[in-house]
Amino acid sequence: MSEYHFSQIEKKWRNYWEENQTFKAIESKDKPKYYALDMFPYPSGAGLHVGHPLGYIASDIVSRYKRLKGYNVLHPMGFDAFGLPAEQYAIQTGQHPAVTTEENIKRYVEQLKNIGFSFDWQREVRTSDPGYYKWTQWIFMQLFQSYYNYSTDKAEPISQLIAAFEQNGNAAVNAACDEDTASFTAEDWKKMSEQEQAKVLLQYRLTYVADAIVNWCPALGTVLANDEVKDGVSERGGYPVERKRMRQWMMRITAYADRLLQGLDDIDWPEPVKEMQRNWIGKSIGAEMEFQLESGEASIKVFTTRIDTVYGVSFLVLAPEHELVEQITTDAQRSEVENYVSVAKNRSERERMADVKTVTGAFTGAYAINPFNGEKVPVYIADYVLAGYGTGAVMAVPSGDQRDWNFAKHFNLPIIQILDAQKELETQADATKEGRYINSGLVNGLTYQEALPVLINFLEDKKVGKGKVNFRIRDAVFSRQRYWGEPVPVFFKDGIPHLLEESELPLELPKIDAYLPTETGEPPLGRAQDWKYKGEHQYELSTMPGWAGSSWYWYRYMDARNDAAFASDAAVNYWRNVDLYIGGSEHATGHLLYSRFWNKFMYDMGYVPEQEPFKKLINQGMIQGRSNFVYRVKDSNTYVSFNLKDQYEATALHVDVNIVENDVMDLEAFKNWRPENANAEFILEDGKYICGVEIEKMSKSKYNVVNPDDIVERLGADTLRMYEMFLGPLEQFKPWNTNGMDGVHKFLKRFWKLFHDNQGNFAVSDAEPTADELKSLHKAIKKVEEDIERFSFNTSVSTFMICVNELTALKTNKRAILEPLTIILAPYAPHIAEELWEKLGHQESITYATFPSWNEAHLAVNSFEYPVSINGKMRAKLSFATDTPKEEMEQAVLQSETVQKFLEGKAPKKIIIVPNKIINVVV
């Protein structure tokens, strides 16, 4: 007798796929290509929970479907293997991060294979493998050897820039560079020493070292990117973060700001993600100008998008981190200013931007001169101004900006009306551009459009400013003061960075005695014994950030074992870019932005054929945990059931969901769960302990984590795959409920039974199918194809269930129906599909079958069963061909024995027929 032994079936086919390399991708020009990719995971020690595979299952369904549609599919998996958790564990235990990472990856691979993903495991990559990060280092070197030419709007070799300097200096060079880059002639350039020339080139290189305001996390001992800081603490670990000026490697992503904005119009990404990137890049058009300090010792540069409001300036505000703060603060104000800076540096930029209600600041004691009217204005510091945006200083116009207005009110500063259309300035700011200017010197009586050129011309004539496009995005910090990351392929000679030779790559991580900073505060690599370039020059001691290896990894999958290049030209030109990318929206301003930046650079240099790395992006929603709670009576070890808890003073405590079924807790399992529960007592209801329920994020601390291995063991991987899709639309958040899986498992059993007789013998007929059977099948083919094409996977599961129910009712066992049905189910439930495909007599994997076409002729509705109502009450059902004339239908209704019975010999007043809906007889 053949039953659905899912455990045996799934193990069999997992072994088959691995032994036969069923999913091996080959560059074959006789087929169209399709590249489906998941954001590769960081291999944490906890392994996968049931929420993690959601996106992987979706991409796997699409990959299997595309193979059935005749595509050559690349569907790889790898690991973003550098990261802080492994290093933190190394600090605590002394175990090398590579050992921890290897153990974790082994666990992940085992779990992923258990779920039956069609990954080409021969292409697996790990960012911590020297064979991989050799090419991360190589890309870094290309960036170092390049600059951005605004005239050609692309990156070019630094050698071309040097040639321009030798010919004409930098007067005619239109390139991305540091703000403070000085002008020089060709003669000046030639007179410079090699070291001086190197310093100038660092002001142009696409990766460079510089002093920068960074997010320093003392507890983690490293610098964090802006997207790794939430509410003033590190995203990982929740440690305090402070703003600090440090020497760092930087990536000149600002050079690509405009192209990163424009490229968003050419990709099929969720609009919220594109909007996050637009806001992060933050393009604004305005003017840059300088306010000379009254003391004459320096000037304050500001950028404004509202130069028209310059006559309304009543004070200047600097970011607390601004480089001039210490210099311009008077002795009388120094204590107050230093205290304020100390507090402000511990607040993240996100927190400072979000906090619009709190007004704080400190007067520096300095004054600046407005170049338009010569008036003296006080200079304050306040944390609502960010060092990382614009110039780190703002000209405050209280009448036109609400934050400035709040500040002016708080510190009793003037609020100057500048437009006759501004209203209610006593109660709030008015940012209007309507009306004509008043109290505005040069532009009195002009409109906004008339005033702008007058003001910008004044700035440029007086050489105190200019019109300018500005971006919020800052150059990206590219250093981590940690061990577990890619070494930077650089050594220092006389304080100047020099690249290794390409033949010397990879520069591998050296062995060290501990994973902590040195006693003198150097990063952990400072502990390496005799680790110097050619025994003489100091290597860079910081490592690359976590996003380095993930900013190009999709190309390595194309040619993962190539030792001569990051990928061959043939492979890159075949696979080109990713057709479908699935991952979380939390990476919008991190990985997804940095990847686009590196991709555009590689495109400029001719290494890759596409400007954008990911054609289509889907952000999968989160599977939330379904937490259970027990209620402990105060000062006791007694637990009261949910519906009785209000009768006691009791505290709610999370309990392991794996010892709860249908919200009823296993009391013995609870006693064995923790030592302190061994003598627990219970107040039950109807002999059961009912737990409370809450939907929360799935996490170990809430004891609501469900391990997919347990589900696979109990119900099978095919059940898990289909259930995760059945939960709801891919992009939405939805709660997990293990109890709901039984319905999907029963469906798979019913599907299996279609192929077997009542004795359990395989029994498939070659008889011709009926019209009803064909209709049921072709409805399913059409719906499943449409659903997968629009990534609507949950509705396909419903379609399968309806189809199998219909075929069960029809007692279908015909090959012509079951064979195509097996093919369309295969992307969702590949193990059962493979087994039944083999039973149907096929020697080759169902992977190589052809997705069936649906036929409109089989979908046509040839008849309809009408409900017949008599005086509004349904009394009978009658079937008619859809083309039956109305008169014939009326005649048949009157001849129906059931209808005659209710008419009681009376003639109906009228018969109302609504085609393909209802018949109503009015007596």
Side-chain angles (χ1 to χ4, degrees), residues 452-660:
L452 285 183
V454 173
L455 295 167
I456 289 174
N457 287 340
F458 176 88
L459 287 175
E460 294 176 352
D461 288 345
K462 299 294 183 182
K463 294 184 169 47
V464 291
K466 60 184 178 180
K468 188 180 179 184
V469 174
N470 203 54
F471 293 92
R472 177 179 287 113
I473 192 172
R474 299 292 89 194
D475 284 343
V477 176
F478 199 72
S479 296
R480 291 291 184 275
Q481 290 65 43
R482 301 302 293 249
Y483 172 78
W484 191 231
E486 299 93 340
V488 179
V490 160
F491 66 90
F492 287 87
K493 182 180 178 182
D494 299 325
I496 299 296
H498 296 265
L499 293 177
L500 277 63
E501 297 294 329
E502 288 187 12
S503 61
E504 296 172 320
L505 298 181
L507 174 61
E508 296 193 32
L509 284 166
K511 293 181 179 179
I512 56 176
D513 59 352
Y515 303 98
L516 292 165
T518 66
E519 288 72 14
T520 55
E522 292 177 322
L525 287 180
R527 293 179 172 275
Q529 295 294 315
D530 303 319
W531 193 56
K532 290 189 175 182
Y533 182 69
K534 295 187 176 179
E536 184 179 356
H537 301 296
Q538 179 70 61
Y539 283 117
E540 170 61 59
L541 298 181
S542 293
T543 50
M544 295 187 194
W547 55 267
S550 63
S551 293
W552 70 279
Y553 76 108
W554 59 95
Y555 287 117
R556 191 59 177 168
Y557 285 135
M558 296 178 184
D559 197 6
R561 302 295 170 256
N562 193 329
D563 292 329
F566 69 89
S568 70
D569 288 344
V572 171
N573 286 315
Y574 179 76
W575 295 110
R576 302 188 74 82
N577 57 4
V578 176
D579 294 283
L580 173 65
Y581 197 34
I582 297 183
S585 61
E586 67 272 17
H587 301 289
T589 56
H591 159 64
L592 288 169
L593 192 60
Y594 299 137
S595 295
R596 296 183 61 226
F597 161 42
W598 276 31
N599 196 95
K600 287 181 186 296
F601 166 73
M602 295 172 79
Y603 172 83
D604 287 352
M605 303 309 288
Y607 303 139
V608 300
E610 301 286 350
Q611 286 218 45
E612 291 289 342
F614 315 121
K615 286 184 186 176
K616 181 174 182 63
L617 172 70
I618 296 178
N619 299 134
Q620 83 276 15
M622 182 186 294
I623 290 184
Q624 297 167 298
R626 189 177 187 277
S627 301
N628 283 117
F629 294 86
V630 292
Y631 303 91
R632 186 173 62 200
V633 177
K634 185 179 180 181
D635 300 330
S636 76
N637 199 20
T638 300
Y639 295 83
V640 59
S641 188
F642 174 75
N643 293 306
L644 304 175
K645 63 181 173 58
D646 292 342
Q647 301 172 24
Y648 300 83
E649 188 177 351
T651 303
L653 301 170
H654 283 89
V655 66
D656 187 352
V657 296
N658 296 291
I659 62 172
V660 179

Side-chain angles (χ1 to χ4, degrees), residues 148-392:
Y148 198 90
N149 186 342
Y150 283 132
S151 296
T152 57
D153 203 20
K154 66 174 187 175
E156 294 178 352
I158 202 81
S159 58
Q160 295 182 18
L161 183 65
I162 294 171
F165 289 168
E166 290 172 344
Q167 290 290 319
N168 302 301
N170 68 352
V173 169
N174 182 22
C177 60
D178 294 352
E179 285 280 336
D180 58 354
T181 302
S183 298
F184 56 85
T185 65
E187 200 60 36
D188 295 332
W189 174 258
K190 290 169 185 173
K191 289 178 181 177
M192 292 181 194
S193 67
E194 184 181 342
Q195 189 170 4
E196 288 171 332
Q197 288 182 348
K199 286 181 178 178
V200 170
L201 290 174
L202 280 174
Q203 295 182 302
Y204 289 87
R205 294 185 188 275
L206 286 177
T207 185
Y208 59 96
V209 280
D211 290 328
I213 299 292
V214 296
N215 300 306
W216 172 250
C217 181
L220 293 175
T222 192
V223 168
L224 300 176
N226 284 337
D227 57 289
E228 295 174 316
V229 181
K230 311 288 184 191
D231 302 323
V233 298
S234 62
E235 188 175 33
R236 187 173 294 280
Y239 300 112
V241 173
E242 61 186 61
R243 303 284 288 165
K244 187 176 180 180
R245 186 176 293 276
M246 295 179 68
R247 190 79 167 162
Q248 299 289 312
W249 279 96
M250 309 291 291
M251 283 278 168
R252 208 179 295 277
I253 190 174
T254 50
Y256 282 86
D258 229 3
R259 281 173 62 188
L260 288 168
L261 269 181
Q262 294 166 13
L264 292 171
D265 296 332
D266 302 325
I267 48 181
D268 183 6
W269 285 21
E271 194 55 39
V273 172
K274 294 205 279 190
E275 194 60 24
M276 279 190 272
Q277 289 205 358
R278 289 189 188 105
N279 291 336
W280 190 263
I281 296 166
K283 183 176 183 178
S284 52
I285 300 171
E288 192 171 78
M289 61 182 288
E290 293 189 5
F291 285 76
Q292 188 72 35
L293 285 166
E294 183 187 27
S295 64
E297 59 185 316
S299 61
I300 296 171
K301 185 182 288 185
V302 302
F303 173 81
T304 177
T305 58
R306 292 292 304 272
I307 187 65
D308 63 299
T309 67
V310 69
Y311 285 96
V313 175
S314 58
F315 57 99
L316 298 185
V317 186
L318 304 183
E321 306 90 348
H322 196 287
E323 59 190 11
L324 287 177
V325 171
E326 185 176 352
Q327 178 184 339
I328 69 174
T329 300
T330 62
D331 291 341
Q333 295 298 121
R334 192 164 303 282
S335 176
E336 181 184 351
V337 167
E338 287 178 350
N339 288 338
Y340 187 84
V341 170
S342 177
V343 172
K345 72 179 183 179
N346 292 320
R347 301 184 75 202
S348 71
E349 287 192 359
R350 288 175 186 265
E351 186 180 1
R352 285 157 62 173
M353 290 169 67
D355 186 5
V356 296
K357 294 182 179 178
T358 307
V359 178
T360 63
F363 178 43
T364 64
Y367 290 86
I369 307 301
N370 186 328
F372 280 88
N373 57 18
E375 292 190 5
K376 186 172 74 170
V377 294
V379 182
Y380 283 76
I381 63 169
D383 67 2
Y384 77 90
V385 179
L386 306 177
Y389 179 61
T391 64

Side-chain angles (χ1 to χ4, degrees), residues 751 755 774 777-778 781 800 814-826 837 840 842 846 850-853:
F751 177 67
F755 296 76
L774 287 168
L777 170 67
H778 284 259
I781 296 171
F800 288 128
K814 293 163 185 169
R815 176 181 297 273
I817 300 297
L818 298 182
E819 197 164 85
L821 180 60
T822 303
I823 295 173
I824 68 170
L825 182 66
W837 189 248
L840 286 165
H842 298 279
I846 198 170
T850 299
F851 198 90
S853 300

Side-chain angles (χ1 to χ4, degrees), residues 415-443:
I415 299 173
I416 304 165
Q417 183 175 358
I418 50 168
L419 279 157
D420 57 16
Q422 286 181 316
K423 297 177 181 178
E424 300 177 6
L425 294 181
E426 276 303 312
T427 57
Q428 62 184 7
D430 185 348
T432 185
K433 296 177 183 176
E434 302 299 320
R436 294 183 180 273
Y437 290 93
I438 60 174
N439 302 321
S440 295
L442 283 175
V443 294

